């Protein structure tokens, strides 16, 4: 225990009392800190050393160079074995047979037979070579000694010294002795250095082939960004995908899996290859491992696309050049070519580029369109680009509703017959009435004489989810939003989807973050062209594009929000899609507001002038029940057909298109519903008058209350 310290503080405040006030403050000693155990400090030090980057680099370097040597020996041994046996030919024969190419198998079989015949001939020659070599050596030695003796005789005659006869022989003997001496001197060091030279040679082979695990390779090699895609890399990526059946099948293949691959083709900013999977491996097992496959190919997930072509048990891989998809594409031809025009019937809108770098043009002829995606991913810009191109066909008419109201479609003022802008319930009501007006126009066209041609009428509703989620109801309690049989916007869209295409009345909708509530199933399936930007989940992708497209490889949910802005996955027969695929990915051209305004001005110049309505004009407000009561006069009852005729005569604008269904809807639950009399449907004047009186009384009572 520490001693207690007592501090005395004298109060310096002046006080009337003569006594001095003293304050005692007791301050205990701070508790002593327990010393850190030695084993803890040692453990921390060891952890610091082990996890230090220098230690990691050293371990990787030691492992890398050691494995270079070991694997270099394996590579050299395999090359030697392949060179001295028919293993290479046998692998190629098995690969050809697995691929069903019997002609290639027969050709490799013939090569193998020729190789074996040549090897047999060489081995038979080796049996006779010692005798032949001995004979040759004896003849050579004899001729050599004879030549040396002859040379010595010539030297002896020339020098008149008989001892020079053996001088050439002695010179040869001395040279041989020198060689023996050199060998004796060099042999010892050579035996010591030779193994090191052999290991160095094996290391060089392994180093050249990068024969070490990825974690042991240097950082620059380990990332391998931009590494070209080769057959061996693709096969290795598939082998390491984590599918046991696929891994075992590749190991059993004589060509190590090369027979699975089709030709690797250049395709825009990447390459494309078809992979025929072995028996027992399904295509979805590869599709579901897209991220791992991309990493095995030293790419990011968004740089690898997996689709299902027409051939059975085959996946098509498109692998982008590293970083290529992060580069922007060029400007739209709409913005660069002032002479460009559109043709609704035969033309294709220049929407962007596919992943191969080819221009992606889409036909809009008699096709309803739906484009969806998460917020702020370029949906409005992509939809507006199509409308801007189509506006360059002067025959096309537009009815537009922008339920965001931020001015993205304002350049169509003077092009569109109607342009509603705003996010409120009142704007939804206006857009709904606009769509219902399009339904009326569609019905008028459908009832026209056969052979009548009509100009295209495009109904564009951006942010359509606002309409589907609108809670407002009309005076008859019918909701504007929702997806029920009495939901006004939903039913207008459904009617256009059902019959509008035949008379060139088309529905284009843009929505965001689709759900079953804000994008009903019947509406999304009524679109001929379905496109999706980045989405959050696979279930949303299925809502946007349909099950067939997603099962075929379409994956807008794997696009990167924010980074893949403007990239759409399209399912439509209006755009060129590779055979066997159900969708195509398009990087759309971005047209900013200034460029869009300039294009719209060119479209306006093609027209005589269009007056744009910003509010749907409503006729005089009528009271249907009061009007029905008024048309009876003194008659006690009327046949329903006569009621409809008298209502039309009273106000054709309000009742000219009424049917028995409208009449029954107004009288429903009033006690004055039509009933059958003498086999005909009639309406009683007394009942209508009583229903009107009851309504007025209830209304007055409610007002007083």
């Amino acid at each position: 225990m520490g001693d207690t310290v007592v501090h005395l503080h004298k109060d310096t405040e002046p006080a009337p009392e003569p006594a001095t006030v003293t304050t005692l403050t007791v301050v205990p000693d701070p508790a002593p800190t327990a010393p850190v155990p030695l084993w803890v400090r040692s453990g921390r030090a060891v952890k610091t050393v082990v996890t230090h980057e220098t230690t990691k680099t050293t371990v990787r370097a030691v492992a890398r160079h050691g494995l270079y040597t070991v694997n270099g020996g394996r590579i050299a041994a395999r090359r030697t074995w392949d060179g001295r046996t028919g293993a290479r030919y046998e692998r190629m024969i098995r690969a050809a047979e697995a691929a069903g190419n019997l002609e290639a198998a027969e050709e490799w079989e013939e090569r193998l037979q020729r190789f074996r015949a040549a090897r047999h001939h060489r081995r038979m020659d080796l049996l006779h070579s010692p005798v032949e070599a001995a004979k040759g050596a004896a003849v050579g030695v004899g001729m050599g000694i004879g030549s040396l003796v002859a040379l010595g005789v010539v030297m002896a005659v020339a020098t008149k010294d008989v001892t020079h006869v053996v001088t050439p022989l002695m010179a040869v003997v001395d040279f041989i002795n020198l060689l023996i001496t050199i060998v004796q001197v060099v042999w010892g060091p050579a035996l010591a250095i030779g193994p090191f030279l052999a290991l160095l040679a094996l290391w060089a082979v392994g180093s050249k082939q990068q024969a070490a695990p990825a974690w042991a390779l240097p950082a620059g090699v380990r990332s391998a960004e931009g590494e070209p895609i080769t057959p061996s890399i693709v096969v290795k990526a598939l082998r390491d995908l984590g599918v046991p059946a696929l891994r075992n099948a590749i190991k059993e293949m004589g060509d190590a899996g090369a027979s699975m691959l089709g030709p690797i083709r250049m395709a825009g900013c990447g390459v494309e290859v078809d992979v025929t999977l072995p028996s027992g491996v399904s295509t979805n097992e590869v599709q579901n491992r897209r991220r791992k496959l991309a990493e095995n190919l030293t790419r990011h997930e968004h740089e690898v696309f997996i689709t299902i072509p027409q051939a059975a048990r085959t996946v098509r891989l498109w692998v982008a050049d590293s970083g290529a998809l992060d580069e922007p594409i060029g400007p739209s031809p709409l913005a660069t070519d002032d002479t460009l025009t559109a043709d609704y019937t035969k033309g294709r809108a220049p929407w962007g580029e596919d992943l191969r770098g080819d221009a992606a043009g889409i036909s809009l002829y008699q096709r309803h369109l739906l484009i969806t995606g998460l917020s702020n991913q370029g949906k409005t810009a992509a939809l507006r680009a199509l409308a801007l191109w189509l506006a360059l066909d002067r025959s096309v008419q537009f009815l537009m509703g922008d339920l965001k109201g931020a001015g993205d479609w304002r350049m169509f003022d003077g092009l569109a017959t109607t342009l509603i802008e705003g996010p409120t319930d009142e704007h939804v009501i206006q857009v709904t009435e606009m769509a219902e007006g399009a339904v009326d126009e569609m019905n008028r066209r459908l009832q026209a004489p056969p052979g009548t041609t009509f100009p295209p009428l495009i109904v564009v509703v951006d942010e359509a989810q606002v309409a589907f989620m609108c809670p407002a109801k009309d005076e008859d309690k019918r909701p504007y939003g929702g997806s029920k049989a009495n939901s006004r916007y939903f039913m207008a869209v459904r009617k256009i989807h059902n019959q509008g295409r035949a008379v060139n009345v088309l529905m284009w909708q843009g929505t965001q973050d689709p759900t079953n509530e804000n994008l009903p199933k019947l509406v999304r399936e009524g679109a001929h062209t379905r496109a999706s930007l980045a989405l959050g989940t696979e279930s949303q992708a299925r809502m946007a594009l349909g099950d067939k497209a997603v099962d075929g490889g379409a994956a807008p949910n794997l696009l990167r929000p924010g980074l893949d802005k403007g990239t759409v996955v399209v399912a439509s027969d209006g755009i060129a899609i590779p055979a066997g695929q159900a969708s195509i990915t398009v990087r759309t051209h971005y047209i900013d507001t200034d460029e869009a305004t300039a294009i719209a001005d060119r479209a306006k110049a093609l027209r005589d002038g269009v007056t744009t309505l910003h509010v749907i004009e409503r006729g005089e407000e009528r009271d249907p029940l009061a009007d029905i009561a008024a048309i009876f006069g003194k008659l006690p009852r009327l046949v329903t057909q006569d009621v409809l005729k008298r209502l039309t005569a009273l106000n054709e604008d309000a009742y000219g298109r009424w049917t028995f269904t409208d009449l029954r809807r107004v009288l429903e639950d009033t006690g004055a519903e039509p009933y059958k009399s003498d086999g005909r449907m009639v309406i009683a004047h007394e009942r209508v008058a009583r229903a009107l009186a009851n309504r007025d009384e209830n209304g007055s009572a409610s007002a007083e209350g």
Side-chain angles (χ1 to χ4, degrees), residues 577-589:
I577 297 178
Q581 295 182 204
S583 65
I584 187 171
T585 302
V586 177
R587 304 172 69 198
T588 60
H589 296 294

Side-chain angles (χ1 to χ4, degrees), residues 401-403 420 427-436 461 489:
D402 175 14
L403 292 177
I420 309 298
H427 292 104
V428 172
I429 294 172
Q430 294 280 327
V431 168
T432 301
E433 293 177 349
M434 177 188 76
E436 291 174 339
V461 179
Y489 179 77

Side-chain angles (χ1 to χ4, degrees), residues 4-68:
T4 300
V5 180
V6 179
H7 298 276
L8 301 179
H9 300 285
K10 188 173 183 180
D11 194 348
T12 57
E13 294 290 337
E17 297 83 356
T20 300
V21 179
T22 302
T23 303
L24 295 179
T25 303
V26 180
V27 181
D29 283 345
T33 303
V36 179
L38 179 61
W39 65 270
V40 174
R41 294 199 302 270
S42 301
R44 291 173 180 172
V46 170
K47 181 179 179 181
T48 301
V49 172
V50 170
T51 59
H52 195 274
E53 188 60 32
T54 302
T55 305
K56 294 180 181 179
T57 303
T58 303
V59 171
R60 279 199 296 264
V62 172
R64 177 170 67 251
H65 293 293
L67 291 170
Y68 278 169

Side-chain angles (χ1 to χ4, degrees), residues 220-455:
V221 178
R222 190 165 59 248
S223 63
E225 291 194 8
E227 181 180 0
I229 300 300
T230 62
S232 60
I233 289 176
V234 175
V235 172
K236 187 176 183 297
L238 293 169
R239 185 195 67 194
D240 298 338
L241 201 55
V243 181
L246 180 59
R247 181 179 62 250
N248 295 335
I250 292 175
K251 289 182 178 179
E252 292 173 0
M253 292 181 184
D255 61 346
S259 61
M260 295 192 307
L261 307 184
I264 296 180
R265 304 176 296 273
M266 297 297 297
C269 57
V271 296
E272 186 178 73
V273 59
D274 286 352
V275 181
T276 302
L277 300 176
S279 177
V281 182
S282 62
T283 54
N284 67 328
E285 289 183 285
V286 178
Q287 280 186 300
N288 294 338
R289 291 170 172 81
R290 178 185 177 191
R291 174 175 293 182
K292 189 169 185 179
L293 178 61
E295 293 172 350
N296 290 348
L297 293 169
T298 64
R299 294 295 191 273
H300 297 291
E301 183 178 12
H302 71 277
E303 294 175 328
V304 174
F305 287 81
I306 306 172
T307 54
I308 309 299
Q310 199 166 7
R313 214 174 66 236
T314 302
V315 293
R316 178 169 294 161
L317 308 181
W318 185 85
V319 185
D321 297 336
S322 184
L325 293 183
D326 296 327
E327 298 293 331
I329 65 173
S332 170
L334 293 174
T336 58
D337 186 357
D338 294 341
T339 64
L340 187 67
T341 58
D343 185 344
Y344 164 75
T345 305
K346 299 179 181 178
R348 290 181 177 268
W351 209 10
E353 297 179 357
D354 62 20
L355 296 179
R356 296 165 181 79
D358 299 328
I362 183 169
S363 172
L364 305 173
Y365 177 65
Q366 292 189 343
R367 291 178 175 87
H368 302 301
L369 185 146
L370 171 67
I371 180 170
T372 186
L374 298 177
S375 177
N376 195 31
Q377 298 304 309
K379 167 182 53 64
T380 297
L383 182 61
R384 187 177 66 185
L386 298 179
L388 286 169
W389 176 80
L390 200 54
L392 295 175
D393 183 339
R394 61 177 299 170
S395 68
V396 178
Q397 302 171 1
F398 292 100
L399 300 176
M400 291 186 166
D402 175 14
L403 292 177
K404 179 168 36 177
D408 294 331
W409 296 87
R410 197 156 296 160
M411 69 286 302
F412 281 86
D413 190 356
L415 274 176
T417 306
T418 302
L419 176 59
I420 309 298
E421 296 179 286
T424 66
D425 289 350
E426 179 59 29
H427 292 104
V428 172
I429 294 172
Q430 294 280 327
V431 168
T432 301
E433 293 177 349
M434 177 188 76
E436 291 174 339
V439 173
D440 293 339
E441 173 63 16
M442 176 191 73
N443 291 332
R444 184 188 69 82
R445 294 183 179 190
L446 288 169
Q447 297 170 17
T452 306
T453 58
F454 303 100

Side-chain angles (χ1 to χ4, degrees), residues 80-89 112 115 119:
T80 302
W81 177 258
D82 287 346
R84 298 189 63 84
T85 67
R88 179 185 293 109
Y89 300 95
L112 177 59
F115 169 80
R119 184 179 60 184

